[in-house]
Amino acid sequence: MSERGSRSWVVIALVAVGFVGMAIGVAKLLGYDPTGGPRSAIEGRSAPEVSLPLVAGEGASDGDRVSVAGLQGTVVLLDFWASWCGPCRRSIPALNQVHERYHDRVRFFGVNVEPGLSATQVREAHADFGANFPTLHDHRQEAQASYGVQSIPTLVLIDRDGVVRHVERGVPDPEAVGEELDRLLEP
């Protein structure tokens, strides 16, 4: 084999290794865990206490805040999102389907994580995305940090006792989220 042919194979091998590395990185970013263990360090732990302004959706008015501690006794779904996030735009309709089915038994909240947006801009993005559930504004990114959110969209399910039971990154499957909620709603 010529020297040129050897270099071509080396380049091809390096490109292949690069693609494998990228695939592993994307899988980790999306929350894939080949061991079947928790996808997040926060799963199984008490939900961190945060209190955020309620800025959009049903029940929102100036000055209203939602405290995670105040939601204990109910199952809670938090959906972390941003206005610039393409997958978040696909996530909201999927969660609207889930909200339609569970809205009377589960407290749903979008959590916008953009510190540079005003409450008005978050309301506009909320309306543009077509969310049917209220949105909180994490303008200080305290909830994002407390819940270990590393990518968006990220979905967090909290049980009635205030324990994080499920964390999912990426666009959720409405059926799978429904199965998780059914499990949390069992008596």
Side-chain angles (χ1 to χ4, degrees):
M1 183 182 296
S2 72
E3 185 176 325
R4 185 175 182 173
S6 294
R7 278 192 230 156
S8 295
W9 281 108
V10 169
V11 169
I12 290 170
L14 289 173
V15 168
V17 168
F19 278 121
V20 169
M22 278 186 1
I24 291 170
V26 168
K28 285 183 179 181
L29 183 68
L30 295 176
Y32 174 72
D33 180 1
T35 66
R39 296 189 240 203
S40 169
I42 198 167
E43 281 186 36
R45 297 186 179 181
S46 292
E49 171 49 27
V50 293
S51 176
L52 299 171
L54 177 61
V55 297
E58 185 178 322
S61 64
D62 284 341
D64 285 348
R65 295 183 75 80
V66 172
S67 165
V68 170
L71 298 171
Q72 196 157 346
T74 62
V75 174
V76 178
L77 180 151
L78 301 175
D79 174 49
F80 290 84
W81 66 278
S83 62
W84 50 261
C85 169
C88 298
R89 188 171 291 277
R90 294 191 315 273
S91 178
I92 298 294
L95 291 175
N96 280 342
Q97 290 176 30
V98 178
H99 179 257
E100 186 176 315
R101 180 174 167 195
Y102 293 93
H103 74 278
D104 58 337
R105 297 177 287 157
V106 175
R107 297 292 305 269
F108 284 72
F109 294 98
V111 181
N112 179 276
V113 297
E114 297 172 274
L117 293 187
S118 68
T120 299
Q121 290 170 312
V122 174
R123 276 192 288 280
E124 290 169 357
H126 171 93
D128 184 48
F129 276 35
N132 292 336
F133 46 89
T135 289
L136 309 172
H137 190 196
D138 188 19
H139 60 281
R140 292 188 181 123
Q141 297 181 318
E142 61 193 57
Q144 183 178 3
S146 296
Y147 282 83
V149 174
Q150 299 174 359
S151 64
I152 52 174
T154 292
L155 177 83
V156 176
L157 299 180
I158 304 169
D159 71 13
R160 290 182 183 107
D161 296 323
V163 176
V164 175
R165 293 297 176 191
H166 182 75
V167 176
E168 182 175 330
R169 295 176 187 98
V171 178
D173 171 19
E175 290 301 316
V177 173
E179 289 172 14
E180 290 290 335
L181 289 174
D182 287 341
R183 189 174 56 76
L184 294 178
L185 291 166
E186 288 176 357

